Amino acid sequence: MRLLLLACVGVWACCVGVAGQGTSRSGRVVYLNQHLYPSLLYINSAAGSTAVDSTRAADGDSNIIQLILYPATSDPPPARNATVVLGGGTAEGKLTLTQEEPPLGPTKIEGVITGLTPGKHGFHIHELGNLVGGCVSAAGHYNPYRRTHGSPMNIDRHVGDLGNIEADATGTAHVNIIDPLVRLVGPRSVIGRAVVVHEGEDDLGQGGDEGSLSTGNAGGRVACGVIGHA
Ligand code: CU
Ligand code: ZN
């Protein structure tokens, strides 16, 4: 009896794991993430990498399926927080990101940015938190759903498309955004990616040319910073 019990526990441990990774019989990799509430189960739609890679955008969707497992009863999950220190160019600032109701609730982005030229500036989350070569190393807009560039008000947009911020006559912009697609938990979390502030205005995909549908023609990068856990 005790042996049987141990065997059962063994099978359970193999299947459930603790923040582990295993390979199922079909060869697909299953990731399990045992936070308190809710749990996240990540399954590859095909054997291989779980990378969200915009250079492979031609085939449409990204290759991660996200299942969110809710317990029958639970306390609300704790809020998640992140911070960004912006620099690396002519402007600077600090931002806080808060997701009050993870994993699916909106994320609030607040802060102050100085050293801008008066007027509108494209404001995005870019794919990489890599700033080794300056803001340009952050690559393109964070786009896990393989959409075209657009306004934050559109359904068809990059997750990273946060529109424009507007600087006053002193070059200061107050950021106060609540975005429904930006997440601080799960496989499409923006933590570890970068916020980039642009020299010019984002045309929100309305420019009528190719650049408009990929970058919003917002021009050079005047500040950037990595989104980090707080
Ligand atoms: Cu950008
Ligand atoms: Zn975009």
Side-chain angles (χ1 to χ4, degrees), residues 121-200:
H121 297 268
F123 184 71
H124 311 130
I125 296 169
H126 283 235
E127 181 164 353
L128 304 179
N130 173 10
L131 305 180
V132 294
C135 296
V136 71
S137 298
H141 299 181
Y142 180 45
N143 183 24
Y145 300 106
R146 309 300 183 224
R147 302 296 176 96
T148 53
H149 179 75
S151 158
M153 308 301 285
N154 291 355
I155 289 174
D156 204 16
R157 55 168 269 203
H158 302 146
V159 168
D161 292 347
L162 299 177
N164 289 290
I165 55 171
E166 187 156 11
D168 62 19
T170 70
T172 300
H174 294 267
V175 180
N176 191 352
I177 292 169
I178 296 176
D179 190 87
L181 294 188
V182 171
R183 308 256 189 268
L184 301 184
V185 300
R188 293 184 177 105
S189 166
V190 299
I191 289 178
R193 305 187 187 279
V195 170
V196 174
V197 184
H198 288 268
E199 200 170 17

Side-chain angles (χ1 to χ4, degrees), residues 101-122:
E101 296 176 9
L104 298 178
T107 294
K108 190 193 296 180
I109 303 164
E110 297 171 294
V112 179
I113 302 170
T114 58
L116 296 163
T117 55
K120 290 183 177 177
H121 297 268

